[in-house]
Each structure stands twice: as C-alpha cells, then as structure tokens.
Amino acid sequence: KVCYTEWLAATLKPKLLASDKAIDQLYQFFDLEGNGKVSPEELMHVLQDDDQVKEVLRRGDRAGDGHLSEEEFRCLIAGIAKSLGGKR
C-alpha cells in the first residue's frame, strides 16, 4: 500500500511538483465537481483510502470546514514539495 505523499514523491520531481502549473493541474484533478473546494468524497475517489483522506484533511484543512480550498490545497502541495526537496 502506497501513501499519497509516497506516490507524489515517486511520480513527480519536487521542483515540478512545486510549480504553479503542476499544482493547478493537480487541484483540477482532485476538484471533481469544479466547485473550488476538494471534499472528503473527492479525496476518497482519488486516494481510495480513508486514513489518507483523514491525513490530507488534517494537514491541509486550515479553516476546519472539512474541505480543502484552492489556497489550502496549494499550501499543502507546496509543503509536500518542500519536504521532498523542491523549492517554492
């Protein structure tokens, strides 16, 4: 079983992951409804693991509303890229 951050690390170079274009594309991939928020259901659809969904929300949902706004998502992914060695 591969966790979300391991998947990102294995598939994208940190500098590429940290780019605005990559983050925008990744956000659109997760925001299935196109409503500007990534819901737990959308995360589950992509991640297929309840524990990973909870971890992503724990790390990224700064407003505490149970969703990831575009800004929250951007900060989360930029933080992951930074931890993997990319610069933002």
Side-chain angles (χ1 to χ4, degrees), residues 5-55:
T5 54
E6 290 171 343
W7 175 80
L8 285 175
T11 58
L12 295 173
K13 294 180 181 178
K15 285 185 180 182
L16 175 61
L17 179 59
S19 75
D20 286 334
K21 183 177 179 179
I23 293 174
D24 289 342
Q25 290 175 339
L26 193 57
Y27 185 75
Q28 290 173 7
F29 180 74
F30 275 88
D31 185 14
L32 300 172
E33 295 178 11
N35 62 3
K37 290 185 177 183
V38 177
S39 69
E41 295 79 18
E42 290 168 317
L43 288 169
M44 180 60 85
H45 180 80
V46 175
L47 300 176
Q48 301 284 311
D49 184 282
D50 192 50
D51 290 336
Q52 288 183 39
V53 169
K54 288 176 184 174
E55 178 65 13

Side-chain angles (χ1 to χ4, degrees), residues 4 18 31 42 58 73:
Y4 176 65
D31 185 14
E42 290 168 317
R58 184 189 68 75
F73 187 86

